[in-house]
Amino acid sequence: MWVRERTLAVGILPNALPVTRLGLRVKRGIAGAVARNRAKRIFREAYRRDKERLAPGWDIVAVLTKASGLSVESLEREWILACTKLKILAATQSS
C-alpha cells in the first residue's frame, strides 16, 4: 500500500519481525548529490524524532520526490500524515 504526499511517497508491507524497518530512496531528479544527501539527512532526522511512535512489524519504503524548500519540520509533518493514513502509528497510552 502506498501513500503520496507533496514531497514524499511511503509504501508499507507487513513483516514477521518485532521491529519496523525503513528503506529510503531519493529520486535522481533532485539535482546534485549534495542536494540528495541533504534530503536524506533531513528525512533521517524526521524519522528519528518519531520512530518510537511506529507500530512494530512493518517494512517501510520512503521515496523523497522533491527537495526544494525542505525542512525537518515540514518533512516530519508529511511523514506523520503519511503514517496516519497508512495506520502504522502505535496506539499512544495516556498517563
Side-chain angles (χ1 to χ4, degrees), residues 39-55:
K40 284 191 252 184
R41 282 194 308 272
I42 288 172
F43 181 79
R44 283 189 200 113
E45 176 62 19
Y47 172 76
R48 184 193 64 78
R49 290 181 179 188
D50 294 309
K51 67 181 175 182
E52 293 83 23
R53 295 175 60 187
L54 295 174

Side-chain angles (χ1 to χ4, degrees), residues 14-81:
N15 68 32
L17 302 173
V19 296
T20 293
R21 300 182 297 185
L22 175 72
L24 176 60
R25 180 175 187 270
V26 178
K27 289 223 171 190
R28 195 168 277 271
I30 297 174
V34 173
R36 287 192 298 274
N37 288 333
R38 180 179 179 277
K40 284 191 252 184
R41 282 194 308 272
I42 288 172
F43 181 79
R44 283 189 200 113
E45 176 62 19
Y47 172 76
R48 184 193 64 78
R49 290 181 179 188
D50 294 309
K51 67 181 175 182
E52 293 83 23
R53 295 175 60 187
L54 295 174
W58 293 99
D59 287 335
I60 303 171
V61 176
V63 180
L64 293 170
T65 56
K66 296 179 185 171
S68 61
L70 201 59
S71 71
V72 174
E73 291 77 20
S74 66
L75 190 56
E76 186 174 13
R77 278 192 301 273
E78 288 190 33
W79 167 245
I80 291 299
L81 183 60

